[in-house]
Structure formats: structure tokens, C-alpha cells
Amino acid sequence: MIEFLLFILCSFILYQVFYVTKEFKSNLFLIMWGYTFLFVTPVIYIFYGGEKYRVFSDESALTFYLLGCLSAAFIILMLLFKVSLNRIKICKINLFISDFILKIIFSFCIVFVVLYILFYWREWPFFDFVSGDISDRPDIVKGTFQGFFIYSLFTSIIIPGIYFHLKDKKGKLFNLLFFIFVCFSMVVSGNKGVFLYFIIFNVLFEWKKIRLSTYLIIIVGLMAIYALIRLPFIGDNFSLSYLIESISERIFLTQGMAMPAVIELAKSTDVTMMNSNDLKYTLFNFVYGYSPGSMPLFYTAELYVRYGWLMMSFISVIISLVFGFGAFVINKTKDSAIRWVYYISLYALIMGGVGSANLFFFIVAILWWLLLTLSNGTITSRSGK
């Protein structure tokens, strides 16, 4: 009971800090979103006796409550550090990359993605789903798709960045076709996550003058895509009520329940020797009783089961400072391409943890951010007031 009340208090303070600093309007909204659906709703569900996905003991649930408290504290640190940097002035230094070189890089990236899609045209899970067949996602089951991780880096960081960079420089037809291409490159593998957050990014920061009816069309479209991917797994039991229940459960419950489950898993399994992906695969099997599959992990949960409270806290403080500084830098630019790089990096931190694959993801994101910054003709340095 005390742990639950402490969690509620920490969560209340976190939301108050978001409200006072108005950072819920910035890219840091995403970490508030992640905290809500990975901690708040699962904690309330567990406290009031929810049994679904209950593969963990009461002790692991209490540890999950305390982990939520510390996670709230680290997010508050991230917010306050970002706000404290707002007093620092920005100095611009002329340093740029030519448009010709930029066009070559953009063209190479686009051609690579197109060729990769075409090369595995008959193998993509999306087309199996359309035909009603069950297919394993290439990010979960290794096999036919060689170099898929590289492809996923392109479609989650680089290709959307190119779209946002060119969006205001091209006509409506080009933007529409490129938008469709970006969406298709994301969902063709059967992974809905990055595509969903790409749409959310557009709703939050790009589509500010669209009608309510357009939002309804977007919601219906997202539900249709989700239904298309889920239909082969459900078969004749599929219905509208199931669709609504499945989406609600996935958003508000399923992903967050992975954390008390991984705490329980770590009691009987040496997770320290697993890489991040193997841990998520093993966790899925532990929760559902079958494989293949993968479950997301908030970065504090993965750090805790690997290193314990002290090292988790130390690394989390560093992460808070790094991403707080990143939020400060991003808020000084109106370039959507650069904002996207930070946004998708925050998504990777929230949903993917801090494994070696994600570290490589962050390195690519930083390099792409530097390239986009140089393409604007300036790079920034910082000095005091």
C-alpha cells in the first residue's frame, strides 16, 4: 500500500512538473506518454487486482512500483535540466555541407531502401497479412532478411528525416507520395510501433491545421492497418469489439506489464549474460508461454535487472542529462527533420532500452543529426548569458 501511494505521489509530481514547465508541448511529451502507459496504467491495473499477464509475484509488483518512482525522478531531472539550460545563449558558427553532397547522400539512402524492399518483395510479412497468412516479423525472427537491422535504421531515422527536410521545399504531390513511401517502408515488415509514432509526431508537430474529420480518418486508417496485421492470428473470432479491446489493451496494459514480468524473470534466469534482444525474446516466452515474439522494456527496467539499483540510478542520471541537453538543442530549431531525430531516439530509449543495438541506433541518430544541422548552413555553440 505504501509503495503504491508513493508511486501515485511521484507520478503526480511528474505531471505537475510537465504542466509548470509546459514541456508537454515539446518533444519530451513522448516520455510523458511512455511513462503513463508503461508505468501508471499497469500499476493501477495490478493494484486493483488485474490478473491478465500476471506471471509475477507480489514482491516483483512492489519492486515495479518503486522502479516507477525512481523513473519519475529521472524524468523530472531530465525536464529540470533542460529548463535550466534555456538561459544559455546560442551562438551560430558558419559551417555547412553543400546541397550537391546532400542530394547524393539522400539519393543513396532512398535507393537503398527501395532496392531492399524490391529484393525481398515476396517475403515481406505485410503481404502475407494481406493474403491472410501468418508470417514472422524479420526484426524478431532472423532468417530470410539479411541486414534487416540496417534497413530498420534507414526507415526509422534517415528516410523520415529526408521527408521532413524536403517537405517544405517540394510540392503537395511529391510530399504525398513521399509520405506514403515512408509509411509503407515502416509497415511492410509488420512492425506497427515506429509507424504509429511517426503518425503521432505529425499530429503533434506538423498537422496543425487539419480538420477533426481528418483526424477521424487517420484513426480509422490506423485501426484498419492494425486489423490487417492482426487478422491472420485471430481468424474467425475477429470482430470490431475485439479490435477496440485489443488496441486498448496493447496501449494501456500489455507493454507496461513486461516490467514486473522481467523483474520476476531475473529471479530465476541470469539475464545479465543476454543481449537486449535475447532478453526481450525470452521475456515474451516467459509471459505468453510461446515464441517467437518480443516485449518492449523501459530503459530503467532493463538497467535494474542487469546491474541493480545503484548502477541503474547512476546510468539513468547520465541518460537524463544527455536527453535533457538534447531537448534543449532541439527546441532551438524549427527544423522538423532534426526534431524527428531526437523524437525517434527518445522512442528507442522508452521502448527499446539500452542494449548494444540501441547504442548503435543512437550513434546513427547523432551522425544524421549532425548532417541535417550542417545542411542548414550553421552549427551551434553555446555560451553563458
Side-chain angles (χ1 to χ4, degrees), residues 215-352:
Y215 281 115
L216 294 176
I217 292 173
I218 292 171
I219 293 173
V220 172
L222 291 174
M223 292 179 65
I225 293 173
Y226 180 85
L228 181 66
I229 293 175
R230 291 297 301 165
L231 184 59
F233 297 92
I234 306 303
D236 296 335
N237 295 324
F238 188 86
S239 65
L240 180 60
S241 60
Y242 167 82
L243 178 63
I244 295 174
E245 179 183 350
S246 177
I247 293 174
S248 300
E249 185 178 294
R250 190 172 186 85
I251 292 175
F252 295 104
L253 182 62
T254 305
Q255 299 175 114
M257 294 295 274
M259 284 181 287
V262 79
I263 293 171
E264 185 70 25
L265 174 65
K267 294 178 181 179
S268 58
T269 305
D270 185 7
V271 301
T272 60
M273 302 304 293
M274 300 180 187
N275 63 43
S276 187
N277 286 335
D278 287 341
L279 173 58
K280 293 166 192 171
Y281 303 154
T282 304
L283 178 61
F284 182 92
N285 195 342
F286 179 71
V287 173
Y288 288 94
Y290 65 90
S291 60
S294 177
M295 297 192 78
L297 280 178
F298 196 77
Y299 67 97
T300 54
E302 182 172 354
L303 288 172
Y304 167 69
V305 297
R306 289 188 182 280
Y307 308 117
W309 291 111
L310 183 61
M311 186 58 67
M312 179 273 289
S313 299
F314 175 74
I315 297 175
S316 294
V317 167
I318 295 175
I319 290 173
S320 294
L321 297 178
V322 170
F323 275 84
F325 178 77
F328 162 70
V329 173
I330 297 303
N331 281 2
K332 295 297 181 180
T333 179
K334 295 181 179 179
D335 191 330
S336 296
I338 296 176
R339 290 172 68 96
W340 168 259
V341 173
Y342 178 81
Y343 175 91
I344 196 62
S345 298
L346 202 57
Y347 165 82
L349 180 70
I350 295 168
M351 304 301 289

Side-chain angles (χ1 to χ4, degrees), residues 48-80:
Y48 285 102
E51 291 296 329
K52 196 165 187 179
Y53 308 113
R54 186 72 185 246
V55 296
F56 47 85
S57 63
D58 290 341
E59 181 185 0
S60 295
L62 294 178
T63 303
F64 175 48
Y65 297 171
L66 294 176
L67 184 65
C69 295
L70 282 177
S71 299
F74 298 137
I75 296 172
I76 291 171
L77 173 62
M78 187 185 302
L79 289 167
L80 296 180

Side-chain angles (χ1 to χ4, degrees), residues 110-121:
I110 294 170
V111 169
F112 170 79
V113 171
V114 170
L115 291 178
Y116 193 94
I117 292 174
L118 293 176
F119 186 80
Y120 291 108
W121 186 256

